Structure formats: C-alpha cells, structure tokens
Amino acid sequence: DTTKLNITQGFLGNDGEYTTTLGREGSDYTAGIFAYCLQADSVTIWKDVPGVLNADPRVFSETELLRKISYTEAVEMAFYGASVIHPKTIQPLEQKQIPLYVRSFDDLDREGTTVLKTEGITPEVPCYIVKKNQILVSISAKDFSFMVEDNISDVFKKLHDCKLKVNLIQNSAISFSVCIEDKFNMFDTFYDELKSFYTIKSYRDVTLYTIRHFDDEAINSIRAKGKAIIRQINTETAQLVIQEKA
C-alpha cells in the first residue's frame, strides 16, 4: 500500500530460532536487504558527514566530497577500511542496480554521494584510508630457508586462532610480513607460539595508509609523516606502513 509509511528497526536478525545483531553497520545492511526485497528505486543513508569524503576529516585537514562512486569502488574502499559504507550494504543493491545515496542529516540541501553502476569515482582524486595502532610483523625461518606454502599456511593458522586481522601482506624468498590489528590483545600469544620455529621482528603502534587512485604528490605527503617501513603499490592502490614522527 503506497499510502502507508512503514517504519521498522534495523540491526537485528532472526533465523527462525535465534535473534542476533547483524554486526557493524547492521542498520545500513538492513536497508540494503529491504531495498532488494521490495525492488526499491533507491536507498538513502543519512550520516553526520556531507557524504563519502576522499579522507577522514578527523585525520586530514583538507577533504573533498566524492559525488559518484561505483559499486566496485565502494567495496574496494570498505575493504581497505573506509567506514562510511560497509561492503555488506552494497552487495544486495549491486545485484539489482539500486542506487545508494549517502547524505547529511545536518545539511538537507546537499546532494551528497551517489553509489551506482558507473566507473571509478567522480571527481577522480586520491582517496586516503588510515588504520592506526597496527603491528607490522616480519617472520622468517630460523634455518634461513624459503618461506613457502607450508610455512605461510602455518602462520595464517596462528593468525586466525589468535583473532589477528590482517590488513597487508608482503612476502619475499626468506621472509613474510603482515600488518595486523590486535583487537583482542592476542599478539603476545601469537608471538610465543611461533618464536620457537621462526625469527620474528615486530614494529608496534605503526600506521597503515592506503591511497586509492594515488599520484606522486599523494604518496609523498604520506611519506612525510614518518619512516616508511613497507611500501606496496599496484595499479590503483598504494599502501604504506609508517612509523610516525613523535
């Protein structure tokens, strides 16, 4: 009935027997599910920011509003840690090509950001994603042998068991490095379980910067923040692990 306004909560789910929360951004995910089921024309998510910005305004003094973002780009940015849109929200919308509007409840006249089927982002500017309080761990075999599949599998099993979230991976012939989050204070357990078999070097309290659509100026601006311990670059994304200046 189009004459009725239906109001319901988000965030909660039930499988017929148990009720639970849907996790971080569960309310936004609920909106995506409802839109998929109702064949909605669009979804609007109201935030305390003008829309999706190219950087966190709490970290960067200058930011720019992204007017349009592709579904793929939104998932990529969320994967690297951008917190405005959760990738679970995008998945049901992308399946039926339902546009998502991210707007500010403090400024109703602003159009905000539209996530839709398009290419890349508009405007195409570098986008910065920051993860602080990281631990960079470099692991190598004590006998100086190669770090191959069985070694790496063993390390990942320990990472999983200790609930350590991996945000960057880099490996060479004799070492394997990961940048991790230790939300459950399990790093010391991880270290103790591996130290007998591997040589382990760690850097605590480092910051992981991810730059989508980077250019030289963007990379240099991050390198100026401290010592770059790791730099990893592919076609669209640059990641730097930085020991920031005191």
Side-chain angles (χ1 to χ4, degrees):
D1 187 344
T2 57
T3 63
K4 290 183 178 180
L5 174 63
N6 296 290
I7 300 176
T8 185
Q9 90 293 329
F11 193 64
L12 298 177
N14 186 284
D15 65 356
E17 184 176 0
Y18 298 103
T19 298
T20 185
T21 64
L22 299 181
R24 184 172 74 84
E25 304 296 340
S27 295
D28 294 353
Y29 184 32
T30 304
I33 294 170
F34 273 120
Y36 179 91
C37 295
L38 297 172
Q39 306 283 345
D41 292 329
S42 68
V43 172
T44 302
I45 294 176
W46 300 93
K47 299 284 186 177
D48 60 354
V49 290
V52 180
L53 303 175
N54 74 318
D56 187 338
R58 296 170 297 181
V59 180
F60 293 85
S61 58
E62 295 183 9
T63 60
E64 191 166 347
L65 177 69
L66 303 178
R67 296 191 303 275
K68 293 182 180 180
I69 305 176
S70 69
Y71 293 118
T72 300
E73 186 68 31
V75 171
E76 288 277 3
M77 291 174 66
F79 171 79
Y80 288 113
S83 59
V84 175
I85 306 173
H86 195 280
K88 285 184 179 179
T89 303
I90 300 298
Q91 192 260 353
L93 302 180
E94 190 276 336
Q95 287 190 22
K96 291 192 175 179
Q97 305 295 296
I98 299 170
L100 170 67
Y101 301 107
V102 182
R103 298 181 61 190
S104 170
F105 52 66
D106 289 324
D107 188 352
L108 302 182
D109 293 330
R110 296 194 69 167
E111 293 185 2
T113 301
T114 305
V115 182
L116 72 170
K117 185 178 181 181
T118 184
E119 296 292 331
I121 57 175
T122 303
E124 189 165 318
V125 294
C127 297
Y128 302 86
I129 301 153
V130 182
K131 283 184 171 288
K132 293 183 175 290
N133 303 314
Q134 303 287 291
I135 303 173
L136 179 66
V137 189
S138 179
I139 302 167
S140 57
K142 285 185 176 293
D143 62 1
F144 209 64
S145 60
F146 291 155
M147 288 293 288
V148 292
E149 285 80 0
D150 57 342
N151 307 107
I152 295 172
S153 174
D154 183 38
V155 172
F156 267 102
K157 176 67 165 57
K158 299 298 185 186
L159 288 166
H160 173 76
D161 291 344
C162 294
K163 299 180 180 180
L164 297 168
K165 185 178 185 298
V166 177
N167 291 316
L168 178 144
I169 302 169
Q170 189 173 92
N171 68 293
S172 66
I174 60 173
S175 69
F176 175 74
S177 298
V178 285
C179 187
I180 57 177
E181 289 179 30
D182 185 18
K183 292 183 178 180
F184 301 96
N185 297 315
M186 293 285 286
F187 177 75
D188 289 339
T189 300
F190 169 79
Y191 180 91
D192 289 342
E193 291 184 0
L194 288 180
K195 67 181 182 181
S196 298
F197 308 99
Y198 300 97
T199 300
I200 305 172
K201 185 176 182 179
S202 65
Y203 301 84
R204 295 177 184 253
D205 297 321
V206 297
T207 302
L208 173 62
Y209 289 90
T210 301
I211 315 170
R212 292 281 296 168
H213 310 288
F214 64 90
D215 55 25
D216 289 342
E217 182 180 352
I219 291 177
N220 290 336
S221 70
I222 299 303
R223 294 192 69 176
K225 294 180 179 294
K227 179 183 178 182
I229 309 171
I230 280 185
R231 185 176 70 167
Q232 188 163 276
I233 296 176
N234 62 31
T235 306
E236 293 287 347
T237 305
Q239 290 187 285
L240 296 91
V241 178
I242 301 288
Q243 273 188 323
E244 298 196 271
K245 299 174 182 176

Short mmCIF file of all heavy atoms in Angstrom, two decimals, residues 139-171:
data_model
loop_
_atom_site.label_atom_id
_atom_site.label_comp_id
_atom_site.label_asym_id
_atom_site.label_seq_id
_atom_site.Cartn_x
_atom_site.Cartn_y
_atom_site.Cartn_z
N ILE A 139 58.37 -12.27 9.55
CA ILE A 139 58.61 -13.64 10.02
C ILE A 139 59.51 -14.35 9.02
O ILE A 139 59.25 -14.33 7.81
CB ILE A 139 57.27 -14.39 10.16
CG1 ILE A 139 56.36 -13.66 11.14
CG2 ILE A 139 57.49 -15.83 10.61
CD1 ILE A 139 54.92 -14.14 11.12
N SER A 140 60.55 -15.00 9.51
CA SER A 140 61.43 -15.79 8.64
C SER A 140 61.83 -17.08 9.34
O SER A 140 61.80 -17.17 10.57
CB SER A 140 62.69 -14.98 8.26
OG SER A 140 63.38 -14.56 9.42
N ALA A 141 62.19 -18.09 8.55
CA ALA A 141 62.58 -19.38 9.12
C ALA A 141 63.95 -19.27 9.78
O ALA A 141 64.83 -18.57 9.29
CB ALA A 141 62.61 -20.45 8.03
N LYS A 142 64.11 -19.94 10.91
CA LYS A 142 65.36 -19.87 11.66
C LYS A 142 66.54 -20.47 10.88
O LYS A 142 67.69 -20.06 11.08
CB LYS A 142 65.22 -20.59 13.00
CG LYS A 142 64.41 -19.80 14.03
CD LYS A 142 64.41 -20.50 15.37
CE LYS A 142 63.68 -19.70 16.44
NZ LYS A 142 64.38 -18.44 16.78
N ASP A 143 66.26 -21.42 9.99
CA ASP A 143 67.35 -22.04 9.22
C ASP A 143 67.63 -21.33 7.90
O ASP A 143 68.32 -21.85 7.03
CB ASP A 143 67.05 -23.51 8.98
CG ASP A 143 65.79 -23.72 8.14
OD1 ASP A 143 65.16 -22.72 7.74
OD2 ASP A 143 65.43 -24.89 7.90
N PHE A 144 67.04 -20.13 7.71
CA PHE A 144 67.28 -19.32 6.52
C PHE A 144 66.71 -19.96 5.25
O PHE A 144 67.12 -19.65 4.14
CB PHE A 144 68.78 -19.04 6.34
CG PHE A 144 69.07 -17.74 5.65
CD1 PHE A 144 68.72 -16.52 6.20
CD2 PHE A 144 69.69 -17.73 4.41
CE1 PHE A 144 68.99 -15.33 5.55
CE2 PHE A 144 69.97 -16.54 3.75
CZ PHE A 144 69.62 -15.34 4.33
N SER A 145 65.76 -20.87 5.42
CA SER A 145 65.14 -21.50 4.26
C SER A 145 64.03 -20.61 3.71
O SER A 145 63.62 -19.62 4.33
CB SER A 145 64.58 -22.87 4.64
OG SER A 145 63.60 -22.74 5.66
N PHE A 146 63.51 -20.98 2.55
CA PHE A 146 62.44 -20.21 1.92
C PHE A 146 61.16 -20.24 2.75
O PHE A 146 60.85 -21.24 3.39
CB PHE A 146 62.13 -20.75 0.53
CG PHE A 146 63.23 -20.53 -0.48
CD1 PHE A 146 63.35 -21.37 -1.57
CD2 PHE A 146 64.14 -19.49 -0.35
CE1 PHE A 146 64.36 -21.18 -2.51
CE2 PHE A 146 65.15 -19.28 -1.27
CZ PHE A 146 65.25 -20.13 -2.36
N MET A 147 60.43 -19.12 2.71
CA MET A 147 59.08 -19.09 3.27
C MET A 147 58.13 -19.51 2.16
O MET A 147 57.81 -18.73 1.26
CB MET A 147 58.75 -17.69 3.78
CG MET A 147 59.48 -17.31 5.05
SD MET A 147 58.98 -18.27 6.50
CE MET A 147 57.34 -17.61 6.81
N VAL A 148 57.69 -20.76 2.20
CA VAL A 148 56.83 -21.31 1.15
C VAL A 148 55.47 -21.66 1.73
O VAL A 148 55.15 -21.30 2.86
CB VAL A 148 57.49 -22.54 0.49
CG1 VAL A 148 58.72 -22.11 -0.31
CG2 VAL A 148 57.89 -23.57 1.53
N GLU A 149 54.68 -22.39 0.94
CA GLU A 149 53.27 -22.57 1.27
C GLU A 149 53.02 -23.16 2.66
O GLU A 149 52.14 -22.70 3.39
CB GLU A 149 52.59 -23.44 0.20
CG GLU A 149 52.32 -22.76 -1.12
CD GLU A 149 53.57 -22.70 -2.00
OE1 GLU A 149 54.63 -23.21 -1.57
OE2 GLU A 149 53.47 -22.14 -3.11
N ASP A 150 53.80 -24.18 3.04
CA ASP A 150 53.52 -24.80 4.33
C ASP A 150 53.85 -23.87 5.49
O ASP A 150 53.14 -23.83 6.49
CB ASP A 150 54.26 -26.14 4.47
CG ASP A 150 55.77 -25.99 4.30
OD1 ASP A 150 56.21 -24.97 3.76
OD2 ASP A 150 56.48 -26.91 4.75
N ASN A 151 54.94 -23.06 5.36
CA ASN A 151 55.26 -22.07 6.40
C ASN A 151 54.17 -21.02 6.51
O ASN A 151 53.69 -20.69 7.61
CB ASN A 151 56.58 -21.35 6.09
CG ASN A 151 57.73 -22.29 5.84
OD1 ASN A 151 58.16 -22.43 4.71
ND2 ASN A 151 58.23 -22.92 6.89
N ILE A 152 53.77 -20.48 5.35
CA ILE A 152 52.77 -19.40 5.34
C ILE A 152 51.43 -19.91 5.85
O ILE A 152 50.72 -19.21 6.58
CB ILE A 152 52.66 -18.81 3.93
CG1 ILE A 152 53.99 -18.14 3.55
CG2 ILE A 152 51.52 -17.81 3.84
CD1 ILE A 152 54.07 -17.67 2.12
N SER A 153 51.08 -21.14 5.49
CA SER A 153 49.84 -21.74 5.99
C SER A 153 49.86 -21.84 7.50
O SER A 153 48.86 -21.56 8.18
CB SER A 153 49.64 -23.12 5.36
OG SER A 153 48.52 -23.78 5.91
N ASP A 154 51.00 -22.22 8.05
CA ASP A 154 51.16 -22.33 9.50
C ASP A 154 50.97 -20.97 10.16
O ASP A 154 50.28 -20.84 11.18
CB ASP A 154 52.54 -22.90 9.81
CG ASP A 154 52.76 -23.12 11.30
OD1 ASP A 154 51.81 -23.53 11.98
OD2 ASP A 154 53.89 -22.88 11.78
N VAL A 155 51.56 -19.93 9.58
CA VAL A 155 51.44 -18.58 10.13
C VAL A 155 49.99 -18.11 10.10
O VAL A 155 49.47 -17.56 11.08
CB VAL A 155 52.35 -17.60 9.36
CG1 VAL A 155 52.06 -16.16 9.80
CG2 VAL A 155 53.81 -17.94 9.58
N PHE A 156 49.32 -18.33 8.97
CA PHE A 156 47.92 -17.89 8.87
C PHE A 156 47.01 -18.65 9.82
O PHE A 156 46.04 -18.08 10.34
CB PHE A 156 47.42 -18.03 7.43
CG PHE A 156 47.58 -16.79 6.62
CD1 PHE A 156 48.61 -16.66 5.71
CD2 PHE A 156 46.70 -15.73 6.78
CE1 PHE A 156 48.76 -15.49 4.98
CE2 PHE A 156 46.84 -14.56 6.06
CZ PHE A 156 47.88 -14.45 5.15
N LYS A 157 47.30 -19.90 10.07
CA LYS A 157 46.51 -20.66 11.06
C LYS A 157 46.63 -20.01 12.44
O LYS A 157 45.63 -19.85 13.15
CB LYS A 157 47.02 -22.10 11.10
CG LYS A 157 46.35 -22.99 12.15
CD LYS A 157 44.88 -23.24 11.84
CE LYS A 157 44.30 -24.39 12.66
NZ LYS A 157 44.43 -24.22 14.13
N LYS A 158 47.85 -19.60 12.81
CA LYS A 158 48.05 -18.94 14.10
C LYS A 158 47.38 -17.57 14.14
O LYS A 158 46.81 -17.17 15.16
CB LYS A 158 49.55 -18.80 14.38
CG LYS A 158 50.31 -20.10 14.48
CD LYS A 158 49.82 -20.99 15.62
CE LYS A 158 50.69 -22.23 15.76
NZ LYS A 158 50.16 -23.18 16.75
N LEU A 159 47.46 -16.84 13.03
CA LEU A 159 46.78 -15.55 12.96
C LEU A 159 45.28 -15.71 13.19
O LEU A 159 44.65 -14.94 13.92
CB LEU A 159 47.04 -14.89 11.60
CG LEU A 159 48.45 -14.35 11.35
CD1 LEU A 159 48.65 -14.05 9.88
CD2 LEU A 159 48.70 -13.09 12.19
N HIS A 160 44.70 -16.71 12.54
CA HIS A 160 43.27 -16.98 12.70
C HIS A 160 42.94 -17.37 14.14
O HIS A 160 41.98 -16.85 14.73
CB HIS A 160 42.84 -18.08 11.74
CG HIS A 160 41.42 -18.54 11.94
ND1 HIS A 160 40.33 -17.80 11.52
CD2 HIS A 160 40.92 -19.66 12.54
CE1 HIS A 160 39.22 -18.44 11.85
NE2 HIS A 160 39.55 -19.56 12.47
N ASP A 161 43.73 -18.27 14.70
CA ASP A 161 43.46 -18.74 16.06
C ASP A 161 43.54 -17.60 17.08
O ASP A 161 42.81 -17.61 18.07
CB ASP A 161 44.46 -19.84 16.45
CG ASP A 161 44.24 -21.13 15.67
OD1 ASP A 161 43.16 -21.29 15.06
OD2 ASP A 161 45.15 -21.98 15.66
N CYS A 162 44.41 -16.64 16.82
CA CYS A 162 44.60 -15.52 17.75
C CYS A 162 43.76 -14.29 17.38
O CYS A 162 43.93 -13.22 17.99
CB CYS A 162 46.08 -15.14 17.81
SG CYS A 162 47.13 -16.42 18.53
N LYS A 163 42.87 -14.44 16.41
CA LYS A 163 41.93 -13.39 16.02
C LYS A 163 42.65 -12.09 15.64
O LYS A 163 42.21 -10.99 15.97
CB LYS A 163 40.92 -13.11 17.15
CG LYS A 163 40.07 -14.31 17.52
CD LYS A 163 39.10 -13.98 18.63
CE LYS A 163 38.26 -15.19 19.02
NZ LYS A 163 37.31 -14.89 20.11
N LEU A 164 43.75 -12.23 14.93
CA LEU A 164 44.52 -11.08 14.46
C LEU A 164 44.11 -10.78 13.02
O LEU A 164 44.23 -11.62 12.14
CB LEU A 164 46.01 -11.37 14.54
CG LEU A 164 46.56 -11.59 15.96
CD1 LEU A 164 47.97 -12.15 15.91
CD2 LEU A 164 46.52 -10.31 16.75
N LYS A 165 43.61 -9.57 12.78
CA LYS A 165 43.11 -9.18 11.46
C LYS A 165 44.26 -8.69 10.59
O LYS A 165 44.99 -7.77 10.96
CB LYS A 165 42.05 -8.10 11.58
CG LYS A 165 41.39 -7.73 10.25
CD LYS A 165 40.32 -6.69 10.44
CE LYS A 165 39.60 -6.42 9.12
NZ LYS A 165 40.50 -5.89 8.07
N VAL A 166 44.41 -9.29 9.42
CA VAL A 166 45.49 -8.96 8.51
C VAL A 166 45.03 -7.87 7.54
O VAL A 166 44.02 -8.01 6.85
CB VAL A 166 45.95 -10.20 7.72
CG1 VAL A 166 47.03 -9.84 6.72
CG2 VAL A 166 46.44 -11.28 8.68
N ASN A 167 45.77 -6.77 7.47
CA ASN A 167 45.43 -5.65 6.60
C ASN A 167 46.41 -5.45 5.45
O ASN A 167 46.11 -4.70 4.52
CB ASN A 167 45.34 -4.36 7.41
CG ASN A 167 44.16 -4.37 8.35
OD1 ASN A 167 43.06 -4.76 7.98
ND2 ASN A 167 44.37 -3.95 9.58
N LEU A 168 47.56 -6.10 5.51
CA LEU A 168 48.54 -6.02 4.41
C LEU A 168 49.43 -7.25 4.48
O LEU A 168 49.75 -7.71 5.58
CB LEU A 168 49.38 -4.74 4.53
CG LEU A 168 50.49 -4.53 3.49
CD1 LEU A 168 50.61 -3.06 3.13
CD2 LEU A 168 51.83 -5.04 4.00
N ILE A 169 49.79 -7.77 3.33
CA ILE A 169 50.66 -8.94 3.23
C ILE A 169 51.79 -8.63 2.25
O ILE A 169 51.55 -8.07 1.17
CB ILE A 169 49.90 -10.18 2.71
CG1 ILE A 169 48.72 -10.52 3.63
CG2 ILE A 169 50.83 -11.37 2.58
CD1 ILE A 169 47.78 -11.55 3.02
N GLN A 170 52.99 -8.99 2.62
CA GLN A 170 54.12 -8.87 1.69
C GLN A 170 55.10 -10.00 1.98
O GLN A 170 55.42 -10.25 3.14
CB GLN A 170 54.82 -7.52 1.85
CG GLN A 170 55.86 -7.24 0.78
CD GLN A 170 56.40 -5.83 0.87
OE1 GLN A 170 57.41 -5.60 1.54
NE2 GLN A 170 55.75 -4.88 0.22
N ASN A 171 55.53 -10.69 0.94
CA ASN A 171 56.48 -11.78 1.18
C ASN A 171 57.63 -11.73 0.18
O ASN A 171 57.50 -11.22 -0.93
CB ASN A 171 55.79 -13.15 1.14
CG ASN A 171 55.29 -13.51 -0.23
OD1 ASN A 171 54.38 -12.87 -0.76
ND2 ASN A 171 55.88 -14.53 -0.83
#
